[in-house]
Amino acid sequence: MVLRARATIAGMIAGPAVLAVAGALANGLNLLMNLALARTLDPAAYGAVVVQVSIFMVLSVAGNALLIAVVQKETNADGDTRRDQWAWIRHLRRRCLFGVFVATVLALLICRPVAALLAYAHPLAVAEAVIGAAVWTLLCIERGVLQARGAYRRLAGNFIVEATARAGLVVAFVAAGLGVNGAGLGLVLGVALGTDHARKGLAKVPRAMAVSLRAARLAALATTGPLTIPSAQIVRRPGLLASTWLALGALVPLALLQNMDVVIVGWLDHDGAGAYAAIATACKVPVFIGLAVANFLLPEAARRRAEGRGATAALTVACALVVAPGLALAALGTVAAKPLLSLVFGPDLTGAASSLSILALGMTFLAVTLMFATYLLGSSQRRVIVVLAVCAGVSAGAIGLAGGDAMRTAVVVLVCQVVTTLAAGALVHSLHRADARAASPAAGSAASAASAASGASGAAAAPLSLPSGSSGFPRPPLSPPQPKPPWASGTAGEGASVPGSGQIPSAPGTGEARPASVW
């Protein structure tokens, strides 16, 4: 039992751990990229690049929503043949590729009006952010199928490959003198190369055999105890398009909570945009790790929910993996914020160093909110959409009232993220209470049924039946027990009986009906 528990814990940690390490490495590459950009570009141009990346990340939620829908559809294991299993994936790839073409044309048409509306001096960079977000949808299809098939090591490798390609191309194009537009071009090409790598890796990962609901629940009883989620609590998942829209309703507020402070500060305070962008980039460490760990938590929550069991252990591990680096960053920012920013971004971008620890705590709470939202989306809970939308709207207004000041903005972000985390955590707690209430009568009825079945099997296995009205004592044997012959020492052979042992001779064939003469 102890060895089985250790193996279960090890298996639970291995998936998110490898993704967390890959996310940390990818984030390290992003920091190196930002270091190179901060020392190559002037503060205004660097702030423009960070705003461009923030626009990309807000728009990329469409791809992330599609990823969630792909995970849920692939987890349902539709299709009996390999051709059926891959048909919908190929069809989705073709449609998204056409969407990339349409998005490219629209981006080139609207980039100048949008740049003028945002008071942004690089309209082509806006178009590149839109095109990069469109290409991101192709990458999300491949990553979604990898998640659903449990190929976490290949997924982790793709994180590193995509981050390496993107960071390398961005730095190379900026160093070549292309400036902010070169950074956007490197972003698009890096995501495209990551998509190609993920597609080649997915071709080597077959889908596991579908497991029936009954077999999955029996396995859950053997590994997680008798408490399972009743069928009434398991919500049937909608189709791919509906799942995408539902996930989009949750991910848009999350993307706004993650990036709108940078955009609002850049809008209200052009001179301080670069310094705030530096601390915002450094404080995204727990969020980036959370985005990587969410690739484990989402399929685990969806799969376990479909099998009738909870994923509380997976949620606990995921939260621990994002809280630890966030608290470490906040502690480091308390004692050495200015030297850290000066070392990484240069002395010109240390103006907001005093706000680093506060913003790091805010981003840590955001990472926990991301884990809660991912868990709820995997469990098909739609109430989280309303909660996140309300919190994002309130946060946007509060950040705008801060007036672009770095310290006031960081404090407002922290307060808003704490409130959002508590609201999402209340939904998780409500879900667990509902599961527990629904499972209690189900567990009692299951125990009664098991007791009745045990009694029936015990009665059938009794060697003698008592007539009605007789005492509870068995009759004496009709003849004294016969001694065993020498050849009968040891275990009796299959289908044999030992005289006087009280055993009932078995029928010649297993599972065959026995005639009355046998008894």
Side-chain angles (χ1 to χ4, degrees):
M1 183 65 68
V2 175
L3 293 177
R4 180 181 297 177
R6 289 179 179 176
T8 302
I9 295 173
M12 184 66 66
I13 296 177
V18 67
L19 291 174
V21 171
L25 291 176
N27 189 64
L29 291 171
N30 287 327
L31 288 177
L32 291 176
M33 178 189 72
N34 279 277
L35 171 63
L37 294 180
R39 295 184 178 276
T40 303
L41 300 171
D42 59 84
Y46 175 72
V49 170
V50 175
V51 171
Q52 180 195 49
V53 173
S54 299
I55 294 173
F56 162 77
M57 295 188 71
V58 170
L59 296 177
S60 66
V61 297
N64 296 332
L66 179 62
L67 182 147
I68 292 176
V70 168
V71 169
Q72 293 177 343
K73 182 174 179 59
E74 180 68 12
T75 303
N76 290 333
D78 296 332
D80 298 328
T81 65
R82 180 178 176 86
R83 181 177 181 180
D84 294 337
Q85 294 171 4
W86 284 97
W88 72 271
I89 299 176
R90 295 192 182 98
H91 179 66
L92 185 59
R93 286 170 175 170
R94 289 193 294 268
R95 297 191 68 175
C96 287
L97 189 60
F98 178 74
V100 171
F101 172 75
V102 174
T104 301
V105 175
L106 291 177
L108 293 175
L109 292 176
I110 67 173
C111 62
R112 292 189 179 278
V114 172
L117 180 64
L118 296 176
Y120 190 69
H122 307 277
L124 184 59
V126 175
E128 291 169 336
V130 175
I131 297 170
V135 178
W136 181 262
T137 60
L138 298 174
L139 178 59
C140 288
I141 295 174
E142 314 303 327
R143 287 184 173 178
V145 182
L146 285 173
Q147 286 182 41
R149 297 184 179 182
Y152 297 129
R153 293 185 181 276
R154 290 188 182 275
L155 186 62
N158 180 252
F159 288 163
I160 298 175
V161 169
E162 186 268 335
T164 303
R166 175 168 42 81
L169 289 173
V170 167
V171 172
F173 289 148
V174 170
L178 297 180
V180 179
N181 295 331
L185 180 61
L187 173 67
V188 174
L189 294 180
V191 174
L193 291 176
T195 303
D196 182 68
H197 176 267
R199 181 174 300 186
K200 291 178 180 178
L202 178 60
K204 303 175 183 178
V205 181
R207 188 164 72 182
M209 296 295 294
V211 181
S212 66
L213 183 60
R214 176 179 174 82
R217 291 193 174 185
L218 289 176
L221 289 175
T223 56
T224 63
L227 182 60
T228 56
I229 301 172
S231 300
Q233 294 294 114
I234 303 173
V235 181
R236 184 178 179 183
R237 301 186 186 281
L240 183 65
L241 183 60
S243 296
T244 303
W245 281 109
L246 290 174
L248 191 62
L251 294 182
V252 167
L254 283 173
L256 292 175
L257 288 170
Q258 178 183 348
N259 299 287
M260 63 184 174
D261 57 330
V262 176
V263 178
I264 292 175
V265 170
W267 180 33
L268 297 177
D269 183 12
H270 295 285
D271 296 334
Y276 188 84
I279 66 167
T281 302
C283 292
K284 291 295 193 303
V285 171
V287 178
F288 288 146
I289 294 177
L291 291 172
V293 176
N295 290 273
F296 160 81
L297 182 59
L298 175 65
E300 287 298 317
R303 185 182 303 112
R304 290 170 182 266
R305 192 79 185 179
E307 294 172 356
R309 50 187 179 138
T312 307
L315 176 62
T316 303
V317 171
C319 289
L321 288 173
V322 299
V323 169
L327 294 180
L329 179 61
L332 183 61
T334 303
V335 297
K338 192 166 185 177
L340 176 65
L341 292 174
S342 179
L343 176 65
V344 175
F345 298 99
D348 295 335
L349 295 174
T350 60
S354 59
S355 307
L356 177 62
S357 59
I358 298 175
L359 190 60
L361 288 176
M363 292 298 105
T364 302
F365 278 100
L366 175 60
V368 176
T369 302
L370 175 62
M371 296 299 97
F372 287 160
T374 301
Y375 178 79
L376 292 168
L377 289 174
S379 302
S380 297
Q381 301 299 309
R382 304 178 182 181
R383 292 179 297 172
V384 66
I385 299 175
V386 178
V387 171
L388 292 176
V390 172
C391 291
V394 174
S395 299
I399 294 173
L401 293 176
D405 180 75
M407 177 58 74
R408 289 199 299 267
T409 301
V411 172
V412 169
V413 168
L414 175 59
V415 173
C416 293
Q417 299 297 354
V418 169
V419 173
T420 306
T421 301
L422 293 176
L427 293 181
V428 174
H429 179 67
S430 175
L431 174 63
H432 288 173
R433 288 191 61 185
D435 289 341
R437 285 195 302 265
S440 297
S445 61
S448 301
S451 177
S454 176
S457 62
L464 293 173
S465 60
L466 300 177
S468 60
S470 64
S471 63
F473 297 96
R475 300 185 201 173
L478 298 178
S479 59
Q482 301 293 327
K484 288 184 179 182
W487 50 267
S489 60
T491 305
E494 182 180 357
S497 63
V498 179
S501 63
Q503 295 180 355
I504 299 174
S506 60
T510 303
E512 296 178 359
R514 296 176 173 86
S517 60
V518 174
W519 302 104

